[in-house]
Amino acid sequence: PGETLFVPGGWWHVVLNLDDTIAVTQNFCSRTNFDVVWQRLRKSRPKLSVKFRERLATEDPGLYARTRELEHMPAPDFSSSSSSSSS
């Protein structure tokens, strides 16, 4: 009994639970994937991105500066991949 499934970031996926199920999910942002996460967040959740940026200004000025740099770069087309919009 019990299965574990890892879904890499950006992979399309769907879940159909056939029995009672417990799901543990987490969205992960690191310096490695920050650019993609930031651009997706800014596009899909603009109000949250403003709050996140404000927090970065005090907590991590380097990443705050990166958000400013990314404003001047064309945003990638994310239509071919998906991440959870419920987070």
Side-chain angles (χ1 to χ4, degrees):
E3 296 178 26
T4 301
L5 178 66
F6 171 76
V7 180
W11 282 36
W12 283 90
H13 61 281
V14 64
V15 176
L16 175 61
N17 297 316
L18 301 176
D19 296 310
D20 291 339
T21 304
I22 296 174
V24 179
T25 65
Q26 179 177 359
N27 293 320
F28 181 75
C29 177
S30 70
R31 292 183 186 285
T32 302
N33 68 350
F34 180 80
D35 289 8
V36 171
V37 170
W38 172 252
Q39 290 171 321
R40 285 184 179 180
L41 179 66
R42 204 173 97 213
K43 183 176 180 178
S44 65
R45 307 279 305 270
K47 290 180 184 177
L48 179 60
S49 72
V50 169
K51 292 179 182 180
F52 185 48
R53 175 186 273 171
E54 289 171 357
R55 188 66 179 259
L56 285 174
T58 57
E59 298 294 328
D60 194 324
L63 286 181
Y64 171 78
R66 184 64 183 148
T67 66
R68 306 286 293 183
E69 293 169 6
L70 291 170
E71 281 182 357
H72 305 292
M73 300 174 102
D77 178 16
F78 298 116
S79 62
S80 63
S81 64
S82 176
S83 63
S84 174
S85 61
S86 63
S87 56

